[in-house]
Amino acid sequence: NMPVLLDFHYSDTWADPGNQAIPAAWASITNVTTLGDSVYNYTLNTLLKLGAENLTPSIVQVGNEINSEVLQPNGQPKYTINWTRNALLINRGIQGVREASRRLNKNIEVMLHIAQPENAIWWFQQANTANLTDFDWIGISYYPLWSNTTLDNLPTRINTLISTHGKKLMVVETAYPYT
């Protein structure tokens, strides 16, 4: 009965702000609608299989540290975002979670995860403009070593994100150097 946060990386390797490589199985898909259908079906079918084993997660992260565009084809500049494409793909992942939640008759919440609070501020503003709004949680990574947000300023950034977007927020990755 432990609540679980399941993180879909949608990649064959670790996904982070500088690495959002499309998995090899989908690399030849050039039509964004078809790619979105692949994200939807993969998300839905994985959650249905977990549900059949009584392993339904409480929260599902649609992507990991998705500061840059998800499922990037080879050769795409790493830190660019085509919001039309990005929103379609992320929304299809969200729709897969929502459909699994409906079919399993279980409340599965959706999280979108951005690295560093200062990036979450602009990212969620742009996501909102691109009609990427059907999620329950803002997830952030907070690594002070690579952030311009100090630990003293972190509560202000968190409160800004919560009040601006009306979502719950969780710090899902962190480390703090102490030596």
Side-chain angles (χ1 to χ4, degrees):
N1 293 320
M2 185 168 107
V4 171
L5 165 63
L6 176 64
D7 180 357
F8 283 104
H9 282 229
Y10 301 114
S11 183
D12 291 332
T13 186
W14 190 262
D16 62 31
N19 298 294
Q20 294 289 330
I22 192 167
W26 298 344
S28 65
I29 301 172
T30 56
N31 180 288
V32 72
T33 301
T34 303
L35 184 57
D37 290 345
S38 298
V39 171
Y40 172 86
N41 288 318
Y42 177 76
T43 304
L44 173 63
N45 291 329
T46 300
L47 293 172
L48 292 177
K49 286 177 184 177
L50 289 170
E53 297 294 326
N54 199 29
L55 297 170
T56 304
S58 302
I59 306 170
V60 171
Q61 238 180 245
V62 177
N64 187 71
E65 293 186 328
I66 55 175
N67 300 38
S68 53
E69 188 172 337
V70 298
L71 298 159
Q72 292 181 0
N74 290 333
Q76 178 173 318
K78 289 184 178 183
Y79 296 103
T80 61
I81 300 176
N82 170 340
W83 274 105
T84 301
R85 181 182 183 276
N86 205 44
L88 184 145
L89 295 174
I90 295 168
N91 276 323
R92 291 298 281 153
I94 292 169
Q95 290 164 359
V97 175
R98 299 296 189 211
E99 180 61 18
S101 182
R102 186 189 69 74
R103 288 190 197 181
L104 295 168
N105 197 30
K106 299 216 175 172
N107 183 35
I108 307 172
E109 295 184 311
V110 173
M111 177 181 284
L112 299 181
H113 174 194
I114 303 302
Q116 305 299 22
E118 62 271 17
N119 294 325
I121 301 290
W122 64 261
W123 194 94
F124 282 100
Q125 288 172 341
Q126 291 181 16
N128 187 59
T129 300
N131 293 317
L132 183 49
T133 59
D134 182 25
F135 59 96
D136 308 293
W137 287 88
I138 292 172
I140 60 172
S141 296
Y142 177 58
Y143 295 100
L145 183 64
W146 298 294
S147 179
N148 67 22
T149 300
T150 66
L151 190 56
D152 289 338
N153 292 333
L154 182 59
T156 300
R157 295 278 173 114
I158 287 172
N159 288 331
T160 297
L161 285 162
I162 291 169
S163 65
T164 301
H165 301 287
K167 307 294 183 181
K168 297 174 271 190
L169 188 143
M170 185 185 310
V171 176
V172 292
E173 288 186 36
T174 191
Y176 197 86
Y178 66 94
T179 60

